[in-house]
Amino acid sequence: MRGHALPSDDVEAIPDSVADSFTVATFNVNGIRAARRRGFDQWLRARSVDVLALQELRCAAADVGTFPGYSAAMDVGSVAGRNGVAVLTRVPAAAVRTWVTHPPRARGLGEFAAQGRYIEVDLADRPVTVACLYLPKGGLPAHLQRPGSMREQPDGGIKYERKQRFLAAFAREVHRNRLAALSAGREFVLTGDLNIAHTQHDVTNWRAARTMDGFLPTDREWFSSLLGTRRLVDVVRQVHGERPGPLTWWSWAGQSFTKDVGWRVDHQLTTPGLARLATAAVVDKEPSPAERLSDHAPLVVTYSAGAVVLQP
């Protein structure tokens, strides 16, 4: 069953929960069952965010479970143990759209529609549409593939081309969805694991990363094409400024986590009206490798709610 709802390193310090703000978090859990065994529920209870977008559930809907205090809308996808996205909200969503219930309109996304990569909800308690994306990880173009220097066997650029097809089509799709939200009187936020680091501030070793999937010129150019004063705003970069970090992903291997050698691939891109209300951004990086919930860490953004609260 897909596309359904179930009931019921600090960067900037997020203040205690107050009536005039709300929090939106995005978190690639790399398997929700594993994350829950590691302490996800304790984190969620302590953090008490208003909206939480999840990627890589990696299990059947029946195995996701429930989240006390939240309603969960999800699309687990059709590939067992892969992908899967969800949005948790304090109040059941006013509307839920997945690529199963509402097929994408942009040509080129059909091959991805059943994979559990995108879900969109209209919040019931404020005029905001929250979209959650798990963007396909790609690979290197054929001319950069060198046998013996890659973790995987060269594939002639097949995964790279697949990702490029997705990027081209999704850019059209998210443009339409953003405009649809604005036409309905709603702000729009695209959250999720985009598997792309945008600028040199988003990768620890950015010079070496220039020939890596996720930081290739084509990846970064695509990311830039989504942004603009009349399009979407990278609110984490807006809050954090043009300086290194904050990072959201570190390899399980070696000392990457301890030495803070990683990437920022988890994002919140919003319409300009909502971006103006962003007051803080925090990455909840765990204190030690033994306490990690995933290879990603939750990204939490606080928005001032005064201008986007629905009137009774």
Side-chain angles (χ1 to χ4, degrees):
M1 185 163 100
R2 303 188 301 275
H4 59 286
L6 299 178
S8 176
D9 56 77
D10 287 346
V11 176
E12 300 285 344
I14 284 183
D16 293 336
S17 179
V18 292
D20 62 349
S21 66
F22 72 104
T23 49
V24 178
T26 182
F27 188 14
N28 181 322
V29 292
N30 195 12
I32 187 61
R33 291 174 295 180
R36 298 189 90 164
R37 289 194 298 269
R38 294 175 179 134
F40 171 87
D41 290 73
Q42 292 89 326
W43 169 82
L44 181 59
R45 184 166 55 250
R47 188 40 121 155
S48 192
V49 295
D50 295 297
V51 180
L52 174 58
L54 300 174
Q55 304 88 46
E56 279 205 275
L57 299 175
R58 298 180 66 175
C59 65
D63 296 325
V64 173
T66 59
F67 304 88
Y70 291 91
S71 175
M74 68 183 74
D75 181 358
V76 298
S78 60
V79 185
R82 301 286 298 277
N83 309 329
V85 289
V87 177
L88 277 55
T89 55
R90 290 290 190 183
V91 180
V96 177
R97 294 175 290 276
T98 74
W99 284 346
V100 174
T101 62
H102 295 72
R105 292 168 292 174
R107 181 179 299 178
L109 288 178
E111 66 178 291
F112 305 96
Q115 295 180 1
R117 292 192 176 276
Y118 186 83
I119 189 168
E120 188 176 285
V121 306
D122 294 337
L123 301 184
D125 55 345
R126 59 191 86 247
V128 177
T129 294
V130 178
C132 174
L133 172 67
Y134 177 46
L135 194 148
K137 184 173 175 58
L140 294 177
H143 72 276
L144 291 180
Q145 296 189 12
R146 301 288 185 270
S149 63
M150 302 169 55
R151 293 182 180 180
E152 301 177 355
Q153 289 296 318
D155 66 356
I158 292 176
K159 291 181 180 178
Y160 171 82
E161 294 298 337
R162 180 190 71 154
K163 182 176 178 180
Q164 296 309 305
R165 291 196 303 273
F166 185 96
L167 295 181
F170 186 77
R172 297 190 295 270
E173 186 74 6
V174 75
H175 177 68
R176 289 172 175 169
N177 294 351
R178 172 180 59 83
L179 292 179
L182 291 173
S183 296
R186 292 179 169 273
E187 299 292 347
F188 179 87
V189 53
L190 174 64
T191 68
D193 177 4
L194 304 192
N195 270 315
I196 292 175
H198 183 214
T199 75
Q200 67 185 56
H201 297 311
D202 299 323
V203 186
T204 303
N205 298 318
W206 67 269
R207 288 183 177 83
R210 288 178 295 183
T211 56
M212 297 180 184
D213 174 43
F215 199 64
L216 296 170
T218 49
D219 294 325
R220 299 168 65 193
E221 289 166 7
W222 176 84
F223 198 109
S224 293
S225 75
L226 300 183
L227 306 180
T229 55
R230 294 177 179 269
R231 296 182 181 184
L232 294 173
V233 176
D234 180 349
V235 294
V236 176
R237 182 57 57 210
Q238 172 185 278
V239 170
H240 189 63
E242 296 298 327
R243 54 193 176 98
L247 308 178
T248 63
W249 176 88
W250 305 263
S251 172
W252 287 113
Q255 297 295 309
S256 296
F257 185 82
T258 302
K259 295 181 178 180
D260 201 31
V261 177
W263 295 47
R264 181 173 76 105
V265 293
D266 304 274
H267 301 279
Q268 293 195 31
L269 310 181
T270 79
T271 42
L274 186 56
R276 286 193 289 271
L277 303 178
T279 59
V282 168
V283 174
D284 281 357
K285 185 183 180 185
E286 297 85 354
S288 71
E291 299 170 85
R292 297 181 72 181
L293 303 178
S294 167
D295 52 349
H296 297 250
L299 166 64
V300 185
V301 176
T302 297
Y303 298 91
S304 171
V308 293
V309 175
L310 286 175
Q311 298 301 313

